[in-house]
């Protein structure tokens, strides 16, 4: 709390008032960041050597709304495989000084990808609380090897937050394995032919 005379621009702890005159005082109050919404009473006292005056100020704190969407590890990237489900643990934090209700989780993904949530709607999230939600991500069977961006959003009527995830898609290596097996078979075949006819 601070006091600034109307005729000055600097804060003071005391002020002189001439007899028969008056002086305006601007009172500044900074509530703590975690204060709950509501109405509060602040007592104010002005004291001199001969008299003391007291007054009560009424201050109404309105709701502040803020959401944060992240992951349990803080990383916004993960690996996934074509047409296989990968799980990611999301964290939704209510940074407000009031409870938030009906927080919906939605996604924006590349074409034909599938994203679902263990819980797609958080009915109530208390002020300052964090909840974990498992996200299931399945790249389409036509996805090529590379990095893709998937955007996840947590939103309610008062606040929202989004996070962009970099998804590194890995393709199956079955054709590489088949190629190696064919080369081995070919070398064995050549070796057999050489052993059979090379001695003649």
């Amino acid at each position: 709390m601070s006091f600034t005379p109307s005729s000055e621009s600097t804060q003071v702890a005391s002020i002189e008032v001439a007899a028969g005159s008056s002086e305006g005082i601007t009172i500044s109050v900074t509530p703590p960041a975690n204060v709950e919404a509501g109405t509060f009473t602040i007592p104010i006292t002005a004291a001199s050597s001969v008299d003391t005056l007291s007054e009560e100020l009424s201050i109404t704190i309105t709701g502040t709304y803020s959401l944060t969407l992240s992951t349990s590890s803080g990383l916004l990237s993960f690996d996934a495989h074509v047409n296989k489900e990968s799980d990611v643990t999301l964290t939704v934090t209510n940074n407000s000084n009031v409870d938030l209700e009906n927080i919906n989780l939605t996604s924006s993904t590349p074409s034909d990808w599938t994203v679902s949530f263990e819980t797609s709607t958080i009915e109530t999230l208390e002020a300052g609380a964090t909840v974990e939600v498992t996200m299931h991500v399945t790249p389409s069977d036509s996805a090529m090897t590379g990095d893709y961006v998937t955007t996840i959003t947590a939103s309610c009527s008062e606040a929202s937050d989004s996070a962009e995830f970099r998804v590194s898609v890995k393709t199956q290596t079955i054709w590489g394995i088949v190629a190696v097996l064919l080369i081995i078979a070919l070398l064995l075949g050549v070796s057999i032919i050489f052993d059979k006819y090379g001695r003649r």
Side-chain angles (χ1 to χ4, degrees):
M1 183 181 299
S2 61
F3 304 89
T4 305
S6 301
S7 57
E8 300 181 20
S9 58
T10 57
Q11 299 175 4
V12 298
S14 62
I15 187 174
E16 293 185 3
V17 180
S21 64
S22 62
E23 180 72 45
I25 297 288
T26 299
I27 302 174
S28 299
V29 178
T30 303
N34 59 349
V35 66
E36 295 183 357
T39 300
F40 300 84
T41 299
I42 299 177
I44 302 295
T45 300
S48 69
S49 59
V50 296
D51 198 5
T52 298
L53 300 176
S54 296
E55 188 63 72
E56 289 187 345
L57 300 180
S58 179
I59 297 179
T60 299
I61 303 297
T62 59
T64 58
Y65 306 102
S66 176
L67 269 177
T68 299
L69 174 65
S70 187
T71 65
S72 57
S73 64
L75 296 177
L76 298 181
S77 62
F78 60 93
D79 295 339
H81 291 84
V82 170
N83 210 27
K84 291 184 64 177
E85 184 176 274
S86 297
D87 292 344
V88 178
T89 301
L90 303 175
T91 58
V92 182
T93 302
N94 180 4
N95 300 311
S96 313
N97 62 353
V98 294
D99 297 349
L100 296 178
E101 298 182 349
N102 298 322
I103 302 171
N104 296 310
L105 295 173
T106 57
S107 63
S108 175
T109 67
S111 178
D112 297 327
W113 284 38
T114 300
V115 174
S116 61
F117 304 96
E118 179 185 25
T119 301
S120 59
T121 300
I122 303 169
E123 293 185 358
T124 302
L125 186 57
E126 296 179 352
T130 297
V131 66
E132 292 187 345
V133 178
T134 300
M135 174 177 65
H136 311 288
V137 180
T138 305
S140 69
D141 53 9
S142 61
M144 305 294 290
T145 299
D147 292 342
Y148 297 81
V149 174
T150 294
T151 302
I152 308 301
T153 300
S155 62
C156 61
S157 58
E158 296 86 5
S160 67
D161 189 34
S162 295
E164 285 192 351
F165 288 83
R166 182 179 62 82
V167 186
S168 296
V169 174
K170 314 294 183 180
T171 55
Q172 300 292 339
T173 58
I174 184 170
W175 291 114
I177 296 174
V178 170
V180 172
L181 292 176
L182 287 174
I183 292 172
I184 293 174
L186 181 61
L187 292 175
L188 288 174
V190 171
S191 177
I192 292 172
I193 293 173
F194 180 79
D195 289 342
K196 184 175 181 179
Y197 297 103
R199 297 173 182 175
R200 296 183 179 180

